[in-house]
Amino acid sequence: MSKRVRTAVFPVAGLGTRFLPATKAMPKEMLTVVDRPLIQYAVDEAREAGIEHFVFVTGRNKGVIEDHFDKQFELEATLEARGKSAALEELQQDLPSAGRTSFTRQQEPLGLGHAVWCARDIVGDQPFALLLPDMIFQAKPGVLKQMMDAYEERAGNIIGVEECAWEDVSSYGVVVRGDGPDQGFAINGMVEKPKRDEAPSNLFISGRYILQPEIFALLAEQTRGAGDEIQLTDAMQTLMDQQRFTGVKYEGKVYDCGSKLGFLTANVVFALDRPDIRPGFVEELRKLDLEDQL
């Protein structure tokens, strides 16, 4: 029997340099797609998948993330006094219950692998989910929920993947696909940013993982790789020699909100998906008469 995945790790210590000056004083994870911060989308996805403990690996100037997942008595009292029950209920639904969040610091920007390692004592000897908040998904059910279904069947380590155009494979880490259906196939290797004619597939790793705790010991010994950082992919390659890795080609689409183009596209897509916003938004788009610019 595989251990149940109850904990999720969210690396939120990045500097957000691609969004300066907006992120000079505000964490990039608090940038909003429509009316919700990026980090809220990731937490909501984790909750849907059954996650009970939310671990945030933060850095300096990230205190507002902790505040976001705390109660704000003055705001809630004001909303209640003004009869804005819908807004109050939404605020309360967004909050994990008391004692369900933990925060730890990554004192140096040493990469994703190092950020994950910083959560080792909180996670302990348990499997955990890893969600990169920059990547948000339009998927029903959520991507992590789809991955949890595969985990219940196959255990081990699970990686969420999506197809990209072959000409774009050099921008991503891609997997070597083995046997099995889209909902759970063997991963036989990973290649970071391959040339198009050398890529083993066009299935790219899209920021959602379920990992076994043995990854922590490997990260502790992992030498620095690309960018002089501790790379999670390098440690996963080593763990692959010891444990099963399964890929899930999920139903849905990812938007990389770590880039300006992905962020702007996500705002349009998610706004059009909102029944309360779509009619007015479509009308405003029509007024812009964008045909001459496209």
Side-chain angles (χ1 to χ4, degrees):
M1 292 289 291
S2 57
K3 292 183 179 179
R4 182 181 169 192
V5 181
R6 300 174 180 271
T7 301
V9 174
F10 303 86
V12 293
L15 298 175
T17 53
R18 288 187 287 178
F19 274 89
L20 288 171
T23 51
K24 180 181 178 182
M26 180 178 70
K28 64 175 180 177
E29 295 83 9
M30 292 301 294
L31 294 174
T32 56
V33 170
V34 188
D35 56 1
R36 301 176 75 75
L38 292 175
I39 187 62
Q40 186 69 59
Y41 285 96
V43 167
D44 290 346
E45 181 186 337
R47 290 170 67 176
E48 179 197 10
I51 293 297
E52 300 172 0
H53 187 191
F54 307 85
V55 181
F56 301 87
V57 182
T58 71
R60 286 180 290 279
N61 300 321
K62 299 282 186 169
V64 68
I65 296 176
E66 188 168 352
D67 292 339
H68 177 73
F69 291 105
D70 197 3
K71 292 179 69 69
Q72 295 191 14
F73 294 101
E74 297 86 351
L75 175 59
E76 293 183 9
T78 298
L79 291 174
E80 185 174 10
R82 295 179 179 178
K84 296 186 176 182
S85 56
L88 178 59
E89 182 178 354
E90 184 174 7
L91 277 181
Q92 293 172 340
Q93 287 178 346
D94 286 346
L95 292 180
S97 57
R100 298 293 188 183
T101 56
S102 296
F103 297 83
T104 189
R105 285 288 186 101
Q106 181 186 22
Q107 284 87 355
E108 298 179 82
L110 295 180
L112 176 59
H114 182 257
V116 173
W117 179 78
C118 288
R120 66 198 182 283
D121 287 337
I122 300 175
V123 174
D125 188 25
Q126 300 289 329
F128 64 99
L130 173 64
L131 297 90
L132 308 190
D134 285 355
M135 315 298 279
I136 68 171
F137 297 81
Q138 194 172 47
K140 294 181 180 179
V143 168
L144 187 60
K145 176 63 171 66
Q146 295 178 46
M147 293 168 60
M148 287 287 201
D149 292 341
Y151 177 79
E152 290 179 3
E153 292 185 9
R154 297 179 64 87
N157 303 271
I158 312 292
I159 309 294
V161 300
E162 182 175 325
E163 281 189 355
C164 67
W166 280 98
E167 56 266 27
D168 294 333
V169 292
S170 61
S171 299
Y172 301 103
V174 299
V175 301
V176 180
R177 178 167 183 164
D179 295 335
D182 286 350
Q183 295 76 19
F185 59 86
I187 292 179
N188 296 331
M190 303 176 192
V191 182
E192 191 67 30
K193 298 182 178 179
K195 296 179 181 178
R196 175 174 177 170
D197 57 354
E198 298 175 355
S201 76
N202 65 336
L203 296 173
F204 70 94
I205 301 170
S206 54
R208 296 294 184 269
Y209 313 77
I210 297 173
L211 297 171
Q212 296 299 315
E214 287 77 13
I215 195 73
F216 293 123
L218 297 176
L219 288 169
E221 302 296 329
Q222 184 66 54
T223 57
R224 298 190 188 189
D228 198 32
E229 295 180 339
I230 298 173
Q231 298 293 334
L232 178 65
T233 302
D234 294 341
M236 289 195 299
Q237 290 272 29
T238 303
L239 186 59
M240 197 173 296
D241 295 333
Q242 309 166 20
Q243 295 182 355
R244 172 190 299 161
F245 273 72
T246 297
V248 173
K249 185 172 178 283
Y250 51 78
E251 295 182 9
K253 182 169 178 56
V254 66
Y255 297 92
D256 180 3
C257 292
S259 72
K260 295 182 179 72
L261 183 59
F263 177 73
L264 292 171
T265 303
N267 268 281
V268 173
V269 169
F270 278 74
L272 291 174
D273 196 45
R274 284 272 296 269
D276 59 325
I277 293 175
R278 178 183 173 89
F281 187 45
V282 168
E283 185 60 30
E284 292 300 319
L285 290 175
R286 287 175 176 153
K287 290 178 184 177
L288 293 176
D289 194 18
L290 295 174
E291 290 187 8
D292 293 339
Q293 302 180 44
L294 301 176

